[in-house]
Amino acid sequence: MDTKDKEQEIVVEERHKQEKSVWEEKGISRRDFMRFCTAMSAALALPVTFAPKIARALDEVQRPTLVWLEFQDCAGNTEALLRASNPSPAQIVLDVLSVDYHETIMAAAGHQAEEALMKTVREQRGKYIAVVEGSIPMKDGGVYCCIGGKSALDLAREVCGNAFATIAVGTCAAYGGIPAAAPNPTGAVGVKDAVPGATVINLPGCPLNPDNLTATVVHYLTFGKLPNTDSQGRPLFAYGKRIHDNCERRPHFDAGQYVEQWGDSEHRKGHCLYKMGCKGPETWHNCPIQRYNEKTNWPVGAGHGCVGCSEANFWDTMTPFYRRLPNVPGFGIEYTADQIGAGLAIATAAAFAGHGIISALKKDKGGEGKKED
Ligand code: SF4
C-alpha cells in the first residue's frame, strides 16, 4: 500500500469512528462491514490490505444502476443471493447498487415494471450493469420464452447490448445450462452467444456462488473495471483453479484412499470421491474455498462428488455423473483453464466418454494419458 492509500485509509477509519456510517444507518455494524470488505479482498485473491480501499469505494461510490433479467431458469441464483450470509452480501451490494428492475424481488409489476426497465436502457445507455439469470432460447425466433410481449432474445439484445457490462449468473445464462442439454429443444444458449457484441462476465455454477457475484461487483466499484477472465469469460479470481486443487479430500486422492461405495467406511472417513464420479479434477471453480450457506459446506464436503456444474455443457459432457473420470492420476498440472477450454471445443462427446478431455489434449500434443485402473 502506498503513502496516499495509507493516508486515505486513516481518513476513512477516522470518519467511521466519528460518525455513524451509511452502513450503520442500514443496520450493518462497522465491524461487520469491515469483515465483509476483508472477505471480499480474500474472495478477489487480493492482500487483506485492500480491505480499506474496498470500504472506501463502497462508502463513496455513486450507486450504479443494475437490472436483473430472468429467462429460462429456476430462479436458483436469485435464491442463492438472497439466502446469503449476515451481513448479507445481497444487502450490501443491493444497497450500493440501484436495482431498477428485478422481476423476482421488485414491487412493480406489468407495464409499470417493463417501463422501468426500458427507462434505464434509454436514459443510462452504456452505464448500467445487466445481470442475466437463465438461458435464452433462439429456436423459432425465440418464442419459447417471452416477457411483457417480447422474446428473451429481443430483451437480451436490447438490454445487454446497451449495458456497460452484463454478468451472466449461473450456468444457464453463461452457457445454456440444463435447457441447452441435448436435444436442446428450444435452441437455448448463454448470453454471449445470444448477444455476441456485449461485454459479458460469466459466473457459471448451479447455482452461482453469490460471493463471486458480490466480489465481481465490488471489483468493478473498487477498481473501475471488470476482473480479468479466462477464455470462457470467467473471472480468474473465482475460476482460476480446479476444484481438485483446493479440495479437502485431495490428500486422500494423492494417497490412493478412495470411496468405493456410497456409505462404505472410506465414505464415512471422508476419503476421495474420484471413483464415485467426482468431476473436481476437470472443473474450474472456487467452491472449496467460498462454499455455500454462510460458508457452512459445499457438495464434496457434504459427501457427494462434484458434477462439474460450472463447466460449459456439463449436462452432456460430465454425465454419467457417477462414472469416474478416466486418466486423472498424474495429469492436469501442466494444463491451464484455457487449454482445457480449447480441449472441450476440440474433443467430441465420444472422445470424452472414451478418453477424457485431458487425454484428448495429451493426444493433441502427441502424449498419452495413463490407463484406467
Ligand atoms: S477427485 Fe473430487 S473428491 Fe477427490 S480430491 Fe479431487 S475434487 Fe476432491
Side-chain angles (χ1 to χ4, degrees):
M1 193 185 299
D2 60 27
T3 312
K4 194 175 162 207
D5 274 350
K6 274 185 187 156
E7 284 170 2
Q8 285 178 322
E9 180 189 340
I10 291 165
V11 169
V12 169
E13 287 285 309
E14 280 305 311
R15 203 179 65 219
H16 279 162
K17 281 177 196 163
Q18 288 166 11
E19 57 187 59
K20 209 173 184 186
S21 77
V22 289
W23 305 106
E24 285 170 302
E25 284 168 8
K26 292 173 195 288
I28 299 169
S29 71
R30 180 174 166 275
R31 178 187 291 262
D32 283 343
F33 178 61
M34 289 311 295
R35 188 183 298 141
F36 167 79
C37 295
T38 304
M40 282 298 102
S41 60
L44 289 165
L46 295 169
V48 72
T49 49
F50 273 82
K53 188 177 173 81
I54 290 170
R56 198 161 57 241
L58 295 182
D59 228 9
E60 296 172 353
V61 76
Q62 283 196 320
R63 287 158 54 100
T65 296
L66 180 144
V67 295
W68 185 301
L69 306 177
E70 286 198 47
F71 298 137
Q72 291 190 133
D73 74 312
C74 65
N77 300 288
T78 293
E79 289 288 341
L81 183 69
L82 297 178
R83 299 289 175 273
S85 55
N86 190 14
S88 126
Q91 189 179 357
I92 288 179
V93 169
L94 295 182
D95 279 345
V96 169
L97 300 168
S98 171
V99 181
D100 283 15
Y101 183 90
H102 188 311
E103 285 154 10
T104 309
I105 61 174
M106 66 187 176
H111 294 301
Q112 187 188 9
E114 299 314 308
E115 176 50 28
L117 177 62
M118 287 307 129
K119 188 166 182 275
T120 299
V121 174
R122 274 195 314 269
E123 296 179 2
Q124 302 204 43
R125 199 174 298 271
K127 294 182 189 154
Y128 62 90
I129 298 171
V131 174
V132 175
E133 177 174 10
S135 66
I136 299 161
M138 303 277 279
K139 200 169 169 187
D140 299 328
V143 297
Y144 300 107
C145 180
C146 294
I147 298 144
K150 290 184 181 174
S151 71
L153 181 57
D154 285 343
L155 278 168
R157 285 178 175 160
E158 191 165 13
V159 176
C160 304
N162 287 300
F164 163 74
T166 298
I167 306 175
V169 295
T171 301
C172 293
Y175 307 126
I178 295 173
N184 192 359
T186 64
V189 298
V191 180
K192 192 68 188 162
D193 287 336
V195 194
T199 301
V200 180
I201 291 274
N202 284 330
L203 299 180
C206 194
L208 97 156
N209 190 311
D211 287 353
N212 290 336
L213 172 60
T214 311
T216 300
V217 173
V218 165
H219 186 285
Y220 167 63
L221 297 177
T222 305
F223 301 106
K225 60 180 184 178
L226 298 168
N228 291 333
T229 61
D230 65 13
S231 64
Q232 294 187 39
R234 303 178 294 190
L236 289 170
F237 73 80
Y239 300 88
K241 289 197 168 158
R242 297 177 304 169
I243 296 270
H244 193 54
D245 297 327
N246 288 312
C247 178
E248 66 256 32
R249 295 177 190 248
R250 178 61 184 267
H252 298 296
F253 174 90
D254 293 337
Q257 296 170 325
Y258 301 112
V259 176
E260 304 281 348
Q261 273 191 338
W262 298 116
D264 67 10
S265 61
E266 283 71 26
H267 196 208
R268 291 196 293 277
K269 286 180 201 159
H271 287 178
C272 174
L273 296 158
Y274 165 60
K275 288 190 177 179
M276 303 306 290
C278 180
K279 305 299 187 288
E282 293 191 359
T283 303
W284 301 78
H285 204 177
N286 59 359
C287 265
I289 307 290
Q290 290 299 349
R291 302 178 167 231
Y292 287 85
N293 300 328
E294 301 187 30
K295 298 195 187 299
T296 304
N297 212 339
W298 65 297
V300 169
H304 193 283
C306 165
V307 297
C309 72
S310 56
E311 295 302 317
N313 308 317
F314 81 101
W315 282 97
D316 295 331
T317 58
M318 295 292 188
T319 46
F321 289 136
Y322 298 106
R323 183 188 296 167
R324 54 161 290 192
L325 286 168
N327 306 324
V328 169
F331 74 48
I333 297 161
E334 71 271 36
Y335 293 106
T336 66
D338 288 350
Q339 285 169 305
I340 296 286
L344 275 166
I346 60 169
T348 63
F352 181 86
H355 306 285
I357 295 164
I358 302 281
S359 180
L361 278 166
K362 287 195 169 185
K363 280 182 180 158
D364 196 43
K365 286 186 156 195
E368 264 299 341
K370 290 181 182 177
K371 284 198 164 81
E372 285 187 64
D373 35 59

